[in-house]
Amino acid sequence: MKMIFTIVKKELTELLRERKTVFNSLILPTLIGPVLIIVMIKVTQLIDKKQQEQHVSIGVINAPQDFLALGAENKLNTFIPLESAQDFDILFQENTIQAALIFPNQWEKHLANLKPNQVDIHKNSSNDAVNKRLHHLIEQYQQKLKDQRLQQLGISVDKITPFTTNYIEKGEQREIFGKQFGGFIPYMFILTMWGGCLLSAVDLVVGEKERKTIETTMLLPISKFKILIGKTMVVATLGFVPAVLSLIGLLGSIQFIPDIPVFLKDAIGSILNFKSILLTFLLLIPFSIFLGGSIISLITSANTFKEAQSKATPIIMLLIIPLVLAMTPSFTLNWTTAFIPVFNIGLSIKEIMAGTIHMGMYSVIFTSLIGLSVGAVYLSHKKFSDENAILM
Amino acid sequence: MIQVEHLTKTFRIPKKKRGAKESSDINAVNQVSFRCEPGRVFSLLGPNGAGKTTTLRMIAGIIKPSSGEALICNLNTTDNQFEVQKKIGYLTGSTGLYERLNPVETMQFLGKVYGLTPDLIQKRMNDLFELLGIHEFKKKLIGQLSTGMKQKVSIARTLLHDPDVLIFDEPTSGLDVITAASIIDLIRSAKENNKTVIFSSHTMSEVDLLCDDLAIINKGEIIYNGTYADFKQEMNADSLTQEFINRVKEA
């Protein structure tokens, strides 16, 4: 054991003197949470501001005066009276108008006779800001006319309302947020773990070949298994630490970044507590060993950084696809999904965050991860002991 | 002492490395036998790709022989790998040093791995740093040192555990004359200290300077094995280099 720690100390010292490792394994994961939140806030604010400040030109045919007056209350709306609908396509293409409304000729007559009218609304669905403004305006005008008509008929709104609804939330806020946002947490953890493991594994195995120190290492009077265990421990640590740092960054950002929407603060605050963090990280420890062992076994025969990265890249797809599936509400943790690697981590972390994890399934997932990590280390040992792979 | 008996190494070359349909076996070293005595310098001579490095790696326990055996101080390198490796100092022209450690950290790491006590590591390190003039750059990262400085550190790490057997694999390859001279001095002093020394080379001038016994290896097989004095006596060509070339061609 003492010898393994000597190897671990030496490998860690070497790795932490490499700027690329420090940046990717320590700085980047710490910053990823705050940066994501800041970007999200700024983008949301920017979109809101843009939507509020955007000038919208609406082409109108036969528009009633009261509608034009209502629309003109917002100074950013401009109405362009048009003679016919034939020019719409050109005007849309030239961006002279962003929407058009065609009111029927018989508008006033139908209104007076309490008959329904039809308004044709020409719009471009890709222009979200314009559509929201237009929708709001139409709703407002329609409500105004409904009220007028009810008044004209002498009917109160209560009389035409058979019932009202009052929804009472019975689910815990934590469960709701956990199921909605909990899927994002394993995604963030596992991707940062992947980055940390890959970079350190490539450096410690293929990097040694490139730097021509592998012969020196193979000459050390200790077993290759101990050398490999030392390297795997470092790789797993540099996979696990980024996950911890990304969590610290996320928790720090909700404490210190101003303007975070209250719902987001509540969501993160309610799902991340001591128990959920502990249960999550307990799963990530064997998973980081599994990831480290798998990457080492894949890249050991590579001779260059580039070759190693291309050999290991397919793993990322094997991680992303189950994680994305686990994020969707259609999949839940059960006795079948608990046995599917990676997918089970995504689902279980979602349940942990929601506070609804089944401890029996959790134990199964934890045990299967230990089994997988032992298997991955065994495979990497087989590869690492192969003279052809390591020295040629 | 090094004793090599019928040492053979067969490598399996995967098909993807050769672009062939089937994988194939290559005999890198075939039935090689020789003996190196303490207090004498043994030179393993051969052209590139002759099997020198593979032979030395098997002697050092880095790779396992396919058949035959190598004994270091009467210990089989396969059965007693770690014990054997503690008796060996191995040096190559490429230094093989960990570039993100400094010389002190390198010595401390290797000392621990070789099972030396902290006091002994400190003493050996001080003595070697003094002898080789490493003190002034002992805290600098190895990656920042010049080639000459690196080779000094490499010599220090080779001698740290005071090995009985020294193996040099083309130790002067790619080095300038001054740095190469320090390696030549090291081999000489090892001989004076009654160590067993084996070095591989394809340069006859080095052989002429240092060696007592000689083996020429070509295509994995020994084509000459004897004392250097005998080799010189049996020479037909005008120069050592020409004689070496002729023997390799004849083989």
Side-chain angles (χ1 to χ4, degrees):
Chain A
M1 206 61 191
K2 198 177 154 195
M3 207 52 87
I4 292 174
F5 281 113
T6 304
I7 299 283
V8 168
K9 189 184 163 196
K10 174 250 170 191
E11 301 292 19
L12 260 183
T13 308
E14 279 209 280
L15 270 178
L16 294 177
R17 284 182 180 158
E18 174 70 25
R19 274 188 209 161
K20 206 162 57 176
T21 313
V22 173
F23 181 77
N24 282 289
S25 301
L26 306 178
I27 299 173
L28 193 66
T30 315
L31 293 179
I32 198 160
V35 168
L36 270 177
I37 286 179
I38 290 172
V39 168
M40 209 166 75
I41 292 169
K42 292 290 168 199
V43 168
T44 312
Q45 285 173 345
L46 199 74
I47 291 170
D48 282 350
K49 201 178 167 201
K50 202 180 160 193
Q51 285 184 352
Q52 281 164 14
E53 291 176 355
Q54 186 174 355
H55 278 87
V56 177
S57 298
I58 305 165
V60 285
I61 296 174
N62 300 327
Q65 280 309 309
D66 59 341
F67 173 77
L68 295 176
L70 183 70
E73 282 175 12
N74 185 344
K75 302 280 181 230
L76 298 170
N77 291 340
T78 307
F79 292 101
I80 302 171
L82 300 168
E83 291 301 318
S84 76
Q86 287 176 353
D87 301 332
F88 280 3
D89 286 347
I90 298 166
L91 292 173
F92 266 95
Q93 276 171 18
E94 289 171 347
N95 205 27
T96 310
I97 58 170
Q98 290 86 46
L101 302 171
I102 306 175
F103 290 82
N105 287 326
Q106 308 290 316
W107 178 265
E108 294 296 341
K109 194 180 163 189
H110 283 171
L111 269 188
N113 293 334
L114 300 177
K115 283 185 177 172
N117 274 307
Q118 182 178 301
V119 181
D120 292 335
I121 303 166
H122 294 246
K123 66 181 181 87
N124 180 350
S125 294
S126 65
N127 200 334
D128 199 40
V130 172
N131 292 329
K132 272 186 182 167
R133 180 94 56 87
L134 196 64
H135 180 74
H136 178 67
L137 181 60
I138 297 286
E139 290 273 301
Q140 222 183 341
Y141 185 54
Q142 195 176 37
Q143 191 57 47
K144 187 187 159 198
L145 294 184
K146 264 186 193 169
D147 291 347
Q148 279 175 4
R149 192 170 278 192
L150 285 171
Q151 211 175 8
Q152 196 182 338
L153 292 168
I155 304 168
S156 75
V157 176
D158 290 347
K159 282 186 179 161
I160 58 158
T161 309
F163 65 90
T164 59
T165 51
N166 179 25
Y167 289 98
I168 298 148
E169 182 56 60
K170 297 306 286 179
E172 279 183 34
Q173 189 195 35
R174 182 188 169 192
E175 188 180 341
I176 301 160
F177 285 141
K179 296 258 158 105
Q180 284 175 346
F181 300 105
F184 167 74
I185 305 279
Y187 197 75
M188 184 178 82
F189 282 163
I190 291 176
L191 285 188
T192 52
M193 286 174 82
W194 156 260
C197 280
L198 177 67
L199 204 70
S200 49
V202 172
D203 189 280
L204 293 186
V205 180
V206 183
E208 279 227 45
K209 288 188 192 179
E210 284 200 321
R211 296 189 292 272
K212 294 180 180 169
T213 56
I214 195 73
E215 201 171 44
T216 310
T217 302
M218 292 296 112
L219 195 68
L220 298 176
I222 45 175
S223 73
K224 287 188 179 86
F225 183 68
K226 283 183 181 171
I227 296 171
L228 175 80
I229 291 293
K231 284 180 185 287
T232 308
M233 280 169 77
V234 173
V235 172
T237 306
L238 285 175
F240 184 71
V241 168
V244 177
L245 291 175
S246 64
L247 179 76
I248 292 171
L250 194 66
L251 288 173
S253 57
I254 60 166
Q255 289 295 323
F256 301 112
I257 296 173
D259 301 335
I260 296 184
V262 179
F263 85 92
L264 193 64
K265 223 172 188 172
D266 287 348
I268 299 172
S270 68
I271 60 178
L272 294 175
N273 56 45
F274 178 74
K275 193 183 167 193
S276 67
I277 292 169
L278 183 74
L279 287 176
T280 302
F281 284 143
L282 265 178
L283 282 185
L284 295 185
I285 292 172
F287 184 70
S288 60
I289 299 171
F290 165 67
L291 209 54
S294 308
I295 296 174
I296 289 177
S297 61
L298 270 177
I299 62 163
T300 300
S301 57
N303 287 316
T304 61
F305 263 77
K306 209 175 159 187
E307 192 187 345
Q309 278 179 328
S310 69
K311 275 178 185 264
T313 301
I315 289 190
I316 193 80
M317 294 314 291
L318 293 177
L319 294 177
I320 287 177
I321 293 168
L323 286 176
V324 169
L325 287 177
M327 277 167 84
T328 59
S330 342
F331 293 102
T332 52
L333 187 65
N334 54 43
W335 285 110
T336 309
T337 53
F339 286 95
I340 306 172
V342 186
F343 191 45
N344 57 10
I345 299 180
L347 292 173
S348 59
I349 294 179
K350 205 162 79 170
E351 297 286 344
I352 290 169
M353 295 302 159
T356 53
I357 184 75
H358 183 287
M359 287 313 287
M361 289 183 201
Y362 179 86
S363 310
V364 165
I365 295 167
F366 184 73
T367 314
S368 70
L369 277 175
I370 290 177
L372 281 173
S373 58
V374 170
V377 171
Y378 173 76
L379 264 181
S380 61
H381 174 57
K382 291 278 279 180
K383 272 285 190 182
F384 199 71
S385 306
D386 180 0
E387 293 165 357
N388 282 345
I390 205 81
L391 286 166
M392 293 203 38
Chain B
M1 188 187 69
I2 303 170
Q3 201 174 338
V4 174
E5 298 286 346
H6 307 293
L7 210 55
T8 299
K9 182 68 187 176
T10 307
F11 287 113
R12 171 142 287 220
I13 309 295
K15 56 185 177 186
K16 62 182 176 186
K17 285 206 174 179
R18 300 163 50 241
K21 282 182 182 171
E22 298 294 325
S23 48
S24 67
D25 291 341
I26 287 181
N27 260 357
V29 173
N30 192 19
Q31 297 287 328
V32 165
S33 301
F34 57 80
R35 197 180 163 95
C36 318
E37 301 288 344
R40 291 179 73 84
V41 176
F42 186 95
S43 175
L44 189 61
L45 206 63
N48 288 335
K52 302 188 294 291
T53 298
T54 304
T55 305
L56 295 184
R57 280 178 170 180
M58 283 191 282
I59 293 171
I62 299 173
I63 55 175
K64 287 187 170 61
S66 305
S67 65
E69 63 176 4
L71 302 173
I72 301 284
C73 307
N74 295 320
L75 292 170
N76 186 301
T77 54
T78 309
D79 302 337
N80 309 281
Q81 189 190 349
F82 308 134
E83 247 180 290
V84 163
Q85 284 177 328
K86 283 184 181 176
K87 293 180 183 296
I88 288 173
Y90 193 93
L91 186 90
T92 68
S94 67
T95 76
L97 293 167
Y98 303 111
E99 301 217 325
R100 292 180 219 143
L101 298 183
N102 64 37
V104 173
E105 290 165 338
T106 304
M107 295 299 146
Q108 284 171 342
F109 167 67
L110 292 170
K112 275 184 201 167
V113 171
Y114 278 96
L116 308 184
T117 62
D119 289 345
L120 188 58
I121 295 171
Q122 195 60 43
K123 188 184 175 305
R124 292 283 301 160
M125 184 167 68
N126 280 340
D127 292 349
L128 287 165
F129 281 11
E130 191 66 46
L131 183 76
L132 297 160
I134 296 175
H135 274 297
E136 58 190 279
F137 55 84
K138 67 181 178 184
K139 290 282 171 74
K140 269 181 118 177
L141 293 186
I142 287 166
Q144 296 167 351
L145 302 179
S146 69
T147 312
M149 288 168 170
K150 280 182 190 171
Q151 197 53 266
K152 284 181 179 179
V153 179
S154 191
I155 293 170
R157 75 143 172 113
T158 308
L159 301 177
L160 178 71
H161 54 295
D162 193 21
D164 294 329
V165 173
L166 288 162
I167 301 172
F168 300 93
D169 186 11
E170 299 190 6
T172 58
S173 165
L175 300 180
D176 64 68
V177 282
I178 298 167
T179 317
S182 67
I183 304 284
I184 305 288
D185 287 345
L186 169 67
I187 294 174
R188 276 193 182 130
S189 80
K191 180 186 168 181
E192 284 163 16
N193 290 321
N194 206 37
K195 307 282 183 191
T196 306
V197 181
I198 179 168
F199 80 99
S200 72
S201 180
H202 47 71
T203 318
M204 284 309 292
S205 56
E206 274 175 12
V207 174
D208 193 41
L209 272 173
L210 295 165
C211 102
D212 300 303
D213 302 303
L214 171 74
I216 297 176
I217 186 168
N218 186 44
K219 293 177 183 166
E221 291 181 2
I222 296 288
I223 56 171
Y224 179 86
N225 187 8
T227 66
Y228 182 51
D230 289 345
F231 180 78
K232 280 212 284 195
Q233 260 189 346
E234 292 167 18
M235 263 174 57
N236 294 321
D238 297 337
S239 69
L240 288 165
T241 306
Q242 194 55 52
E243 180 68 18
F244 168 65
I245 293 168
N246 290 347
R247 284 187 184 247
V248 169
K249 275 185 180 170
E250 282 166 23

